[in-house]
Amino acid sequence: MLPWTRAPRTPRARRTLAALLLAVAAVATPTATAAAATPTAATATSRGWNDYSCKPSAAHPRPVVLVHGTFGNSVDNWLVLAPYLVNRGYCVYSLDYGQLPGVPLFNGLGPIDKSAGQLAVFVDKVLASTGASRADIVGHSQGGMMPNYYLKFLGGGAKVNAMIGLAPDNHGTTLLGLTKLLPYFPGAEYLLNAGTPGLADQVAGSPFITKLNAGGDTVPGVHYTVISTKYDEVVTPYRTQFLNGPDVHNVLLQDLCPVDLSEHVAIGTIDRVAYHEVANALDPAHATPTTCASVVG
């Protein structure tokens, strides 16, 4: 998830960019951090996930690993989806990644290739705990894109059955063209790269995105699902979220429920229509039609 939401056509866009740069500066300055303790994955145990005594059932033989978005963490991104899946009999786990020194709460800001390495370690831990040979991954925003690096370059393709992205920036984002303003603000691009590399890596055309997508979007043996909303104001254009490959299911939320108005944040954090499609992707043999009525149950 990236914090820019307006097109560069009005003074509001310039104010938004200025606010972004102030936020980046604050994140890069340890003295600006909050004193609150960072929530950990262990906190989520009381809500039914990150339970390392959980053993997958015959009905749901693979653990589900949830990967938060930029500025998210292992708890706040999944307060709805994690219990939703636990209640359906899954062993569910979430990790924190991309932390910056001295910055609590807000994760996903470090270099994305290093974050993928953290995911690799976490998946190995989950597989060892559950005894499963493969896991399923569900990620939101950066968390729906970053695992692709793990799959392609860190051996994850042999350990993951399904990769499900909610509003993932698989091909980066133009941020509605806002990044084109960066050269007009002296020092802005340096601050973006030096202060929060996890943001810079997500810009369309960045060295990271170029490497990630070289040679195709997918790896053999992994089932891919992308769930997007046409109201996404962060990963733009929204169709760049979709993947190309022989085992890819690209879904537009409004094709399932035309009156669903979820934007970038809501599709990953509260949208039960999207979550029903996640459940279908995790268990396609027992999939049921996803409609506006899927908000029930």
Side-chain angles (χ1 to χ4, degrees):
M1 178 170 60
L2 295 172
W4 299 306
T5 60
R6 297 287 182 182
R9 299 191 182 111
T10 68
R12 181 180 295 180
R14 293 188 287 274
R15 291 196 300 271
T16 302
L17 181 58
L20 162 70
L21 297 178
L22 288 173
V24 170
V27 166
T29 305
T31 57
T33 60
T38 303
T40 65
T43 308
T45 303
S46 62
R47 297 181 178 90
W49 81 95
N50 284 326
D51 177 3
Y52 286 91
S53 67
C54 186
K55 299 300 179 184
S57 65
H60 301 304
R62 293 176 300 276
V64 178
V65 174
L66 304 178
V67 188
H68 65 73
T70 310
F71 293 115
N73 59 61
S74 62
V75 177
D76 67 8
N77 214 138
W78 307 120
L79 291 172
V80 179
L81 180 57
Y84 178 94
L85 295 175
V86 168
N87 290 341
R88 281 157 179 75
Y90 289 94
C91 294
V92 179
Y93 304 85
S94 61
L95 78 156
D96 288 300
Y97 71 87
Q99 302 93 330
L100 291 180
V103 180
L105 301 176
F106 303 110
N107 299 327
L109 299 174
I112 297 181
D113 58 346
K114 301 298 189 294
S115 294
Q118 291 178 275
L119 175 62
V121 171
F122 189 80
V123 170
D124 283 348
K125 177 182 177 180
V126 168
L127 294 180
S129 171
T130 59
S133 59
R134 304 183 89 181
D136 293 326
I137 293 177
V138 181
H140 177 215
S141 192
Q142 181 190 160
M145 171 272 289
M146 175 270 280
N148 292 333
Y149 191 96
Y150 164 57
L151 298 178
K152 293 183 75 172
F153 302 112
L154 302 180
K159 299 177 182 181
V160 174
N161 169 72
M163 176 64 232
I164 303 164
L166 293 158
D169 50 345
N170 285 318
H171 299 99
T173 175
T174 66
L175 302 172
L176 295 172
L178 195 55
T179 55
K180 294 178 182 178
L181 290 175
L182 288 174
Y184 298 99
F185 290 81
E189 290 190 65
Y190 171 79
L191 180 61
L192 187 62
N193 283 277
T196 54
L199 295 181
D201 283 348
Q202 294 178 73
V203 175
S206 71
F208 176 84
I209 290 294
T210 299
K211 177 180 178 179
L212 178 66
N213 293 305
D217 290 346
T218 64
V219 298
V222 178
H223 310 294
Y224 294 85
T225 299
V226 175
I227 305 169
S228 302
T229 171
K230 69 180 182 180
Y231 299 114
D232 199 312
E233 79 285 26
V234 175
V235 181
T236 58
Y238 73 85
R239 291 192 180 276
T240 61
Q241 300 173 22
F242 294 153
L243 295 171
N244 295 304
D247 195 354
V248 172
H249 182 45
N250 292 315
V251 180
L252 182 63
L253 197 59
Q254 286 72 34
D255 288 340
L256 306 175
C257 178
V259 299
D260 193 315
L261 301 180
S262 288
E263 41 63 69
H264 183 79
V265 174
I267 192 176
T269 57
I270 61 172
D271 193 294
R272 292 174 75 90
V273 176
Y275 292 172
H276 186 270
E277 196 64 12
V278 169
N280 281 347
L282 291 172
D283 188 8
H286 299 96
T288 58
T290 300
T291 67
C292 297
S294 299
V295 296
V296 180

